[in-house]
Amino acid sequence: MVTGTLKNYKREEMEEKIAALGGRAASSVSKKTDYVVAGESPGSKLDKARKLGVKVIGEEEFDKLIR
């Protein structure tokens, strides 16, 4: 799941990278979500992820994970 404004990626680019690595970029947050990549001004999806205990990462941590 990707939310907020990203600095180094277009949302579609990040979602394509996730899919290419075998993941799925969902459009909503649930207990089954592994990670939320949060950019600037993420809004209610970030709040929901935190409430559900979903790990929230930024672009830099996302880059480290996919290397």
Side-chain angles (χ1 to χ4, degrees), residues 30-60:
S30 74
K31 290 181 183 179
K32 294 181 180 181
T33 304
D34 292 316
Y35 295 99
V36 170
V37 181
E40 294 181 30
S41 303
S44 64
K45 291 179 182 177
L46 176 61
D47 296 333
K48 185 171 182 181
R50 288 181 174 154
K51 182 178 177 184
L52 294 173
V54 174
K55 183 169 174 106
V56 177
I57 62 174
E59 287 181 72
E60 296 81 17

Side-chain angles (χ1 to χ4, degrees), residues 1-2 15 24-29 33 45:
M1 143 119 305
V2 181
E15 290 174 351
R24 185 173 69 89
S27 59
S28 62
V29 182
T33 304
K45 291 179 182 177

